[in-house]
Each structure stands twice: as structure tokens, then as C-alpha cells.
Amino acid sequence: MTMYVESNERAGREALAKPIERVRQEVMRFVTAEAGFAEVYTINGNGYPAGRTMVAPINEDWSVDLIQRAVHRRLGQLRRNPRVEITWVGEPAADSVNDRPHVYDWGLQVPRVVFLRGVAEFMDDDWTIARYQRQTAIQHAKGLTRAPARAPDNVRTELVGIHVRPVQVRVEGFGVGAQSFTWSIGSADEAGQGRPGARRGNE
């Protein structure tokens, strides 16, 4: 697997990229333990990105399981076009610096952001029930019990399960300065990659 590393700042800082495995560990810890809600973007009927805030549990293989009510317009959007982008945004890292901007000095540090590009697949009732029950058990173990307790028949009637297969992950705020890291999980063509001039780090 190849990682693309981009400085995104004026030249002059000679900073080596972190090892890919360390970056991926920090990112996974961020999206599972810190970031909370995600922003999920689909493509509407007019061809525009349409975003909304959702719970988007991520798995160790970077896939995402979306369990949602069957009434949302996004379901029709995903049936027409299964391409999806999911983002998690959080506070800058404690050692974040942003002292070499190209265009504007905004006076702010670089936030931590994870952009996950993927392809959505509608799943069957058994999968949806199993994922709903698994995540509900996790939430209940944390003392978070305010959502309705749904029996399997209710899940079949009211909820829809979607599995997002990842093709690319891009992260910002996990390196030095404004560095970003991008890696493909599917093919480069599928992920829409193409970064001439970016530095690469091999796993």
C-alpha cells in the first residue's frame, strides 16, 4: 500500500512523515474514541453533495456500518449513486502548529479531520439486526440507554442497514504543521486519486 504525504504549507520545514502504521493507529483511536458524530455526504438528484450529521461506527478494516431509519432521503440517493464521503472533525492535536500558511494566516491551529471515501451497499435484515444489536450493547454498557429498545421485528420494519466499503482515507492534523496523509484501500482509480508531486511513503 502507498501513502501520499503532502506538506500543504510553505517550504522550509524539514519534517519527516510519521510511519504509516503510527498514523493509522492515531486516526483509528481518534474516530473511535474522540470524534463522536460524523458528517455523511451523498449525491442528491441534482448532482450536489448532500451532508448530514450521523452516527457512523467504523470497523478495524476502515469499513463503516450505518444503521438508520427507513424514511430518510439519503437512502434513495445512495440507491442512485452509492458513492459516499464520511468525515470526522475534532480539536487540533496538542502539538499542532500552523505557522507556514500559503495564502492566509488565520491564526488557528490545524484541526484533526478524517475523510473516508467509500461505496455503500444495502444489507439484508439479518445483517442489520446483528449490527444494531451489537452497537446497542456497546452503548448500553456505557450507560447510554435513551434510544428506543427495538425488537428484531421492529428493526426489520423501521431500520435499514448499509455497509460502506472504504476505498480511500485522507487525514489532516495528524502530522507536522499542515501535513496530510492519504492512502487507498481499493484501487487508485476507484478512489479518485491522482496527486502528481506528492511525496510517497511505502508500508
Side-chain angles (χ1 to χ4, degrees):
M1 185 187 70
T2 300
M3 173 182 280
Y4 295 82
V5 183
E6 298 168 282
S7 63
N8 303 309
E9 63 182 14
R10 288 183 293 113
R13 191 199 313 276
E14 297 301 326
L16 297 177
K18 291 181 183 178
I20 183 172
E21 193 54 40
R22 180 179 168 190
V23 172
R24 295 201 298 178
Q25 289 171 359
E26 291 179 1
V27 172
M28 183 60 73
R29 185 165 56 250
F30 171 72
V31 295
T32 57
E34 295 185 52
F37 286 110
E39 312 304 320
V40 178
Y41 295 87
T42 53
I43 304 299
N44 68 19
N46 294 319
Y48 287 98
R52 73 283 294 165
T53 301
M54 290 179 59
V55 172
I58 192 167
N59 301 306
E60 291 184 0
D61 64 356
W62 302 93
S63 66
V64 176
D65 298 332
L66 302 177
I67 305 297
Q68 53 206 295
R69 294 186 300 137
V71 298
H72 294 298
R73 286 193 298 272
R74 73 182 73 102
L75 299 176
Q77 294 166 0
L78 287 170
R79 287 189 174 97
R80 288 193 302 269
N81 186 338
R83 295 179 178 87
V84 62
E85 187 102 358
I86 304 173
T87 67
W88 294 263
V89 182
E91 294 293 324
D95 58 354
S96 176
V97 293
N98 187 21
D99 55 356
R100 306 188 66 81
H102 271 295
V103 180
Y104 296 119
D105 180 1
W106 214 241
L108 298 172
Q109 305 306 339
V110 178
R112 286 174 295 170
V113 187
V114 178
F115 302 89
L116 186 147
R117 182 172 299 170
V119 178
E121 178 183 359
F122 284 80
M123 307 303 286
D124 63 22
D125 287 343
D126 289 343
W127 184 96
T128 302
I129 291 167
R131 290 303 192 277
Y132 166 78
Q133 291 176 337
R134 183 178 71 180
Q135 191 63 43
T136 297
I138 292 171
Q139 301 310 109
H140 285 184
K142 298 176 181 177
L144 303 173
T145 60
R146 287 176 290 187
R150 298 178 183 271
D153 284 346
N154 180 271
V155 174
R156 291 188 184 94
T157 301
E158 296 194 8
L159 301 183
V160 174
I162 294 175
H163 183 70
V164 177
R165 175 175 55 83
V167 297
Q168 177 182 287
V169 178
R170 173 185 168 87
V171 303
E172 301 173 356
F174 292 85
V176 177
Q179 274 182 344
S180 64
F181 303 82
T182 305
W183 65 92
S184 294
I185 298 175
S187 69
D189 289 341
E190 188 177 37
Q193 280 191 344
R195 291 175 178 77
R199 290 192 295 140
R200 301 184 182 189
N202 292 321
E203 186 177 38

